Amino acid sequence: MRYEVARVEDWRWPAAQFDVVAAIFVQFVAPAARRVLFERMSASLTPGGLLLLEGYTPAQLKYATGGPKQVEQLYTEELLRQAFGSLEILELKAYEAELDEGTRHRGMSAVIDVVARKPLA
């Protein structure tokens, strides 16, 4: 087994290497770096590969049950459609749910999920 340790925005993200990329609450990235990160994540997928991403929406600020405190670090459907426009969006859903993921992420939360596939050709 081989592993690497790096900050998500600094990792090399090899091109067309992964069948699945899962990014769960990776929102503590500056908006300028987020664009590059999302591009690299998409490019790292093999044809037909899936991207699974979950994060908080701006509505999360009213709950204060986790996540960034800066609205520019939160995701909207429009932001994710634009960021992953080169992929086929299979599901994009914003909703509110009760989370219990540790002491810093517990309670009602405003989340958004995207499932997208890289085209085969």
Side-chain angles (χ1 to χ4, degrees), residues 32-48:
R34 176 179 59 214
R35 182 186 56 75
V36 173
L37 172 62
F38 285 176
E39 287 172 1
R40 290 177 178 170
M41 289 166 61
S42 295
S44 74
L45 290 169
T46 58

Side-chain angles (χ1 to χ4, degrees), residues 11-51:
W11 193 55
R12 61 184 175 79
W13 291 97
Q17 293 295 307
F18 302 112
D19 294 327
V20 177
V21 169
I24 311 301
F25 298 116
V26 294
Q27 294 185 253
F28 294 97
V29 177
R34 176 179 59 214
R35 182 186 56 75
V36 173
L37 172 62
F38 285 176
E39 287 172 1
R40 290 177 178 170
M41 289 166 61
S42 295
S44 74
L45 290 169
T46 58
L50 293 175
L51 171 79

Side-chain angles (χ1 to χ4, degrees), residues 51-62:
L51 171 79
L52 312 172
L53 182 132
E54 182 172 66
Y56 290 112
T57 71
Q60 177 62 16
L61 295 175
K62 71 182 176 188

Side-chain angles (χ1 to χ4, degrees), residues 11-118:
W11 193 55
R12 61 184 175 79
W13 291 97
Q17 293 295 307
F18 302 112
D19 294 327
V20 177
V21 169
I24 311 301
F25 298 116
V26 294
Q27 294 185 253
F28 294 97
V29 177
R34 176 179 59 214
R35 182 186 56 75
V36 173
L37 172 62
F38 285 176
E39 287 172 1
R40 290 177 178 170
M41 289 166 61
S42 295
S44 74
L45 290 169
T46 58
L50 293 175
L51 171 79
L52 312 172
L53 182 132
E54 182 172 66
Y56 290 112
T57 71
Q60 177 62 16
L61 295 175
K62 71 182 176 188
Y63 292 120
T65 54
K69 306 296 183 241
Q70 297 76 29
V71 70
E72 60 272 2
Q73 289 182 311
L74 301 169
Y75 303 152
T76 64
E77 289 185 28
E78 180 182 334
L79 181 146
L80 295 176
R81 277 192 198 286
Q82 185 175 35
F84 298 111
S86 66
L87 305 178
E88 176 190 2
I89 304 291
L90 302 175
E91 183 171 331
L92 177 55
K93 180 179 173 184
Y95 58 97
E96 296 183 358
E98 188 84 23
L99 297 184
D100 189 2
E101 298 177 351
T103 58
R104 297 185 144 200
H105 295 96
R106 182 174 291 144
M108 187 57 71
S109 300
V111 294
I112 190 166
D113 298 337
V114 63
V115 178
R117 179 177 25 229
K118 189 169 192 172

